[in-house]
Amino acid sequence: MNRKIKISELAPFDLAEYLQDEADLVEYLNQVVADGDAGELAHALGVVAKARGMAQMAEAAGIGREALYKALRPGSQPRFDTIARVCAALGLRLTVQSAVQAD
């Protein structure tokens, strides 16, 4: 007997629940950066901040919790200063490397 499951009965997917350790966070953010979507980067930082505890991240970044939620929602365009402060609060560093490979 097959029981059909309604979409409304499924629990919402929350990626933050699956980011278990530092390696998971770094891999996730590196993939988002590689995709090159600034709005998605803001959202990804929000997911990582949520995984670490949004209130704690907001305090460490010196940004109000509600302001942090707003800045890191999907499709937002936060200032670089906000991105840098969130990365610092997360203990992460943005780096630059050449996209051109040397021969």
Side-chain angles (χ1 to χ4, degrees):
M1 215 157 109
N2 290 340
R3 180 177 158 331
K4 291 187 178 183
I5 298 174
K6 296 179 183 177
I7 291 177
S8 62
E9 295 174 352
L10 295 174
F13 178 76
D14 186 357
L15 180 59
E17 294 177 14
Y18 296 92
L19 299 175
Q20 300 295 316
D21 57 28
E22 196 72 17
D24 291 346
L25 302 175
V26 170
E27 180 63 32
Y28 172 54
L29 290 173
N30 277 329
Q31 185 59 51
V32 170
V33 168
D35 290 346
D37 184 333
E40 187 59 28
L41 175 58
H43 172 66
L45 285 170
V47 169
V48 171
K50 183 178 177 188
R52 293 263 183 97
M54 191 63 86
Q56 178 183 347
M57 290 298 98
E59 183 178 338
I63 301 170
R65 190 175 63 81
E66 291 300 319
L68 189 59
Y69 272 114
K70 184 177 177 182
L72 301 180
R73 70 178 181 252
S76 66
Q77 297 291 321
R79 296 183 346 216
F80 181 77
D81 176 60
T82 302
I83 297 293
R85 290 168 74 178
V86 170
C87 285
L90 291 167
L92 302 172
R93 174 179 51 203
L94 295 176
T95 61
V96 177
Q97 60 188 80
S98 177
V100 179
Q101 294 188 7
D103 291 331

